[in-house]
Amino acid sequence: MPSDVVRVIYRKYDGSAHRDYPARRLAEDDLGIWLGVPVGTESVYHGRPSVERIPFVLLVPHHAWWTGMFNPPPRTSEVYCDIATPAHWESEDVVHLIDLDLDVVRRRATGLVELLDEDEFAEHRARYGYPEDVVVEAEAAARWLFGALGDGSEPFATSYRKWLALVV
């Protein structure tokens, strides 16, 4: 039986801390593992303590180069996807991801899909020496997400709402 609480650990490619927080395991399906993060969850962001003020649901896909964060209002991003290495499960209750800087976001008010942090990706690619296969996978994931967030593909259309309802 999997643990009810999963520790989510994001690092940058050089191993530095990025995000670290506990999440409640909500479900597992063909897309991946759905995790809920309620208001008040204590987290660490860039090495600094933080408290989540807006709940969210995180989808950790089984074998993809991204994670999806699904947000309620008042957050301006309805869906926020981090381009990251495929999840490495240390155990059933600890997952590690390497954040690769690029993000694909869908804005709540307009439905506009944006690719963010291309400059950070280019800078870190040079500084940390991202291998070419990592670059190819990261860019391919960003392109796919850009289309999927814009064309109504699931889980980005409505299917995430049943999981989000469990944490709001």
Side-chain angles (χ1 to χ4, degrees):
M1 176 67 98
S3 170
D4 185 47
V5 177
V6 173
R7 181 175 174 202
V8 179
I9 303 169
Y10 283 91
R11 296 200 174 280
K12 289 294 190 175
Y13 198 81
D14 69 344
S16 62
H18 183 53
R19 293 195 74 190
D20 188 331
Y21 56 87
R24 185 166 46 103
R25 183 186 300 268
L26 301 174
E28 181 171 359
D29 60 20
D30 59 326
L31 297 168
I33 297 176
W34 294 89
L35 303 171
V37 180
V39 169
T41 298
E42 294 182 5
S43 63
V44 177
Y45 187 64
H46 291 292
R48 294 184 167 176
S50 181
V51 176
E52 297 300 331
R53 299 187 196 286
I54 301 172
F56 63 91
V57 168
L58 182 73
L59 172 60
V60 180
H62 291 299
H63 304 289
W65 285 74
W66 57 271
T67 58
M69 188 169 104
F70 301 88
N71 306 301
R75 204 176 297 259
T76 59
S77 60
E78 179 182 14
V79 182
Y80 194 106
C81 294
D82 285 298
I83 304 302
T85 58
H88 168 71
W89 289 88
E90 176 182 319
S91 63
E92 291 181 344
D93 58 356
V94 179
V95 63
H96 294 270
L97 300 129
I98 297 174
D99 181 274
L100 294 171
D101 316 309
L102 294 171
D103 304 301
V104 182
V105 178
R106 184 173 67 219
R107 299 294 172 192
R108 179 177 317 286
T110 62
L112 177 68
V113 177
E114 299 174 277
L115 175 62
L116 306 177
D117 298 332
E118 291 177 279
D119 54 342
E120 184 181 357
F121 179 73
E123 177 187 331
H124 287 174
R125 177 183 181 181
R127 181 186 303 164
Y128 304 135
Y130 290 176
E132 191 58 28
D133 62 324
V134 168
V135 172
V136 167
E137 293 289 354
E139 290 175 340
R143 280 191 307 276
W144 181 82
L145 284 166
F146 195 88
L149 267 68
D151 70 11
S153 295
E154 293 294 359
F156 308 110
T158 61
S159 66
Y160 70 87
R161 292 182 183 158
K162 65 184 172 188
W163 307 120
L164 190 55
L166 298 176
V167 296
V168 292

